[in-house]
């Protein structure tokens, strides 16, 4: 059996680098327009060229999400953008809309991946898209393992499924709720996550009188979904024979990308080394990144999701403090590009791209001029700290 690709989100250039350094085989990103994350950082054309160069230098793959549902007014600019992506050397484009599919096919030599937003739920749809020229299908998130196996048994086209990340109550992301309530269209990348809002009931003649809809003491979150996590059944996921395992989260932090990628990298490798068990340290790491309660979604079900609904807000059990940019073994010091406040005397830990996670107390810290400081309060400040163990560049410091 071929090892499946581990595919990670790249919300910006730094997250792309983190994903690849922490073990992703491939990354996906959105440009400034035409991907379904209009409010993410996203990539300029210059950044796309840098991203392609960085990814290919590591022998890995990079895919461009162009998965909006286009309107006529978008088509000229889309044609120009697709042509640019082809010239930039991305390895595939991810599309939902058949018009965008047609443009990519006519104007470029790019491989075409069909996005989960296209809602492919059966083997005839997979076959149809394959005949149309798609090289990969991202299956709808609403499929069970039995359905995925059934599709895989009768299909020559590569399949990709989501294994981790946020889900929403719409059908594979196709939703009108945000557009209806705010004018911002989820299908054109502008979702306001209206399903996560707290809802109450108002009788039409009693404006301003809100009747609570009893769900729990915090209110009513009737449409709020848990986050997907297929780690507990990753052996079954891999055995299904899909080609690519995708992590959601282009809007999430570099801490999320690094932590989740590292866990799934280790789990996939363990499976192929013949020693897969769900390790406590993997579950602990997935608890440290921002997430809602986890669910295996539809994968282990017979059609209906298993306990997908959640009233919980996102949480994480570790705060991200900074990135290790350099390490000097002779002085046992690490140079940290700071992201959160930290101070001498605090207990911190280092998540490393390859090595084990270790903890220590901060004892000695200096600013960029070499002056001793007790606290690093400003984001993006560069400080040097003494470390108890050698630490890899690109390690993340957290508390
Ligand atoms: S409003 Fe909620 S259900 Fe609709 S697309 Fe956005 S996240 Fe999904």
């Amino acid at each position: 059996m071929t090892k499946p690709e581990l595919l990670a989100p790249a919300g910006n250039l730094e997250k792309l680098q983190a994903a690849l350094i922490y073990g992703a085989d491939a990354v996906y990103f959105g440009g400034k327009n035409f991907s379904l994350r209009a409010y993410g950082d996203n990539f300029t054309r210059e950044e796309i060229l840098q991203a392609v160069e960085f990814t290919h230098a590591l022998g890995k793959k990079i895919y461009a999400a162009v998965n909006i549902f286009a309107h006529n007014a978008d088509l000229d600019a889309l044609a120009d953008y697709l042509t640019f992506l082809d010239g930039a050397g991305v390895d595939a484009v991810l599309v939902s809309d058949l018009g965008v599919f047609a443009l990519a096919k006519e104007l470029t030599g790019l491989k075409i991946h069909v996005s989960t937003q296209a809602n492919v739920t059966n083997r005839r749809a997979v076959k149809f898209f394959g005949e149309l020229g798609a090289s990969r299908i991202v299956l709808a998130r609403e499929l069970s393992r039995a359905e995925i196996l059934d599709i895989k048994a009768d299909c020559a086209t590569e399949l990709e499924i989501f294994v981790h990340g946020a889900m929403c109550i719409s059908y594979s992301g196709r939703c009108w709720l945000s557009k209806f309530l705010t004018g911002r269209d989820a299908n054109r990348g502008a979702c306001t996550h209206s399903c996560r809002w707290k809802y109450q009931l108002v009788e039409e003649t009693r404006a301003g009188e809100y009747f609570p809809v009893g769900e729990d003491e915090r209110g009513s979150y009737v449409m709020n979904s848990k986050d997907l996590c297929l780690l507990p059944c990753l052996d079954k996921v891999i055995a299904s024979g899909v080609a690519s395992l995708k992590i959601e989260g282009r809007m999430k932090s570099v801490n999320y990308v690094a932590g989740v990628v590292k866990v799934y990298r280790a789990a996939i490798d363990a499976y192929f080394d013949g020693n897969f068990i769900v390790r406590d340290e993997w579950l602990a790491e997935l608890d440290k990144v921002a997430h809602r309660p986890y669910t295996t979604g539809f994968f282990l079900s017979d059609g209906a999701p298993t306990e997908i609904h959640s009233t919980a807000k996102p949480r994480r059990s570790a705060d991200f403090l900074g990135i290790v940019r350099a390490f000097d073994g002779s002085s046992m010091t690490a140079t940290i590009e700071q992201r959160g406040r930290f101070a001498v005397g605090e207990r911190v830990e280092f998540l490393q791209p390859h090595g084990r996670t270790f903890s220590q107390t901060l004892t000695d810290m200096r600013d960029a001029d070499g002056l001793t400081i007790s606290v690093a309060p400003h984001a993006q400040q560069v400080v040097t700290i003494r470390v108890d163990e050698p630490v890899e560049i690109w390690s993340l410091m957290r508390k």
Side-chain angles (χ1 to χ4, degrees), residues 168-186:
C168 63
I169 52 92
S170 67
Y171 206 102
S172 282
R174 291 179 79 156
C175 168
W176 201 242
L177 190 62
S178 174
K179 174 79 171 169
F180 181 74
L181 291 175
T182 70
R184 282 173 42 176
D185 187 349

Side-chain angles (χ1 to χ4, degrees), residues 141-146 148 228-237 295-306:
R141 302 180 204 213
E142 291 77 15
L143 295 183
S144 69
R145 175 179 171 232
I148 293 168
L228 180 68
C229 175
L230 294 189
L231 183 72
C233 51
L234 202 73
D235 51 345
K236 294 184 178 65
V237 172
T295 173
T296 54
F298 294 76
F299 187 75
L300 296 177
S301 74
D302 54 5
T306 43

Side-chain angles (χ1 to χ4, degrees), residues 335-388:
T335 303
I336 311 284
E337 187 181 293
Q338 184 216 4
R339 297 303 163 81
R341 185 187 185 282
F342 52 90
V344 168
E346 286 181 333
R347 194 91 188 141
V348 297
E349 70 168 19
F350 292 90
L351 174 74
Q352 306 193 80
H354 305 290
R356 68 178 188 87
T357 300
F358 70 91
S359 303
Q360 68 165 67
T361 301
L362 288 176
T363 56
D364 184 66
M365 183 158 61
R366 290 164 196 271
D367 66 14
D369 298 322
L371 299 174
T372 301
I373 53 174
S374 59
V375 62
H378 307 299
Q380 302 285 337
Q381 187 174 359
V382 174
V383 300
T384 304
I385 60 164
R386 188 174 299 281
V387 284
D388 294 351

Side-chain angles (χ1 to χ4, degrees), residues 189-200:
C191 175
T192 53
H193 299 104
S194 313
C195 59
R196 313 281 192 199
W197 297 351
K198 181 178 177 181
Y199 288 91
Q200 296 188 331

Side-chain angles (χ1 to χ4, degrees), residues 273-284:
D273 290 343
N275 58 12
F276 176 84
I277 52 161
V278 181
R279 297 185 191 154
D280 289 345
E281 77 239 33
W282 296 344
L283 296 172

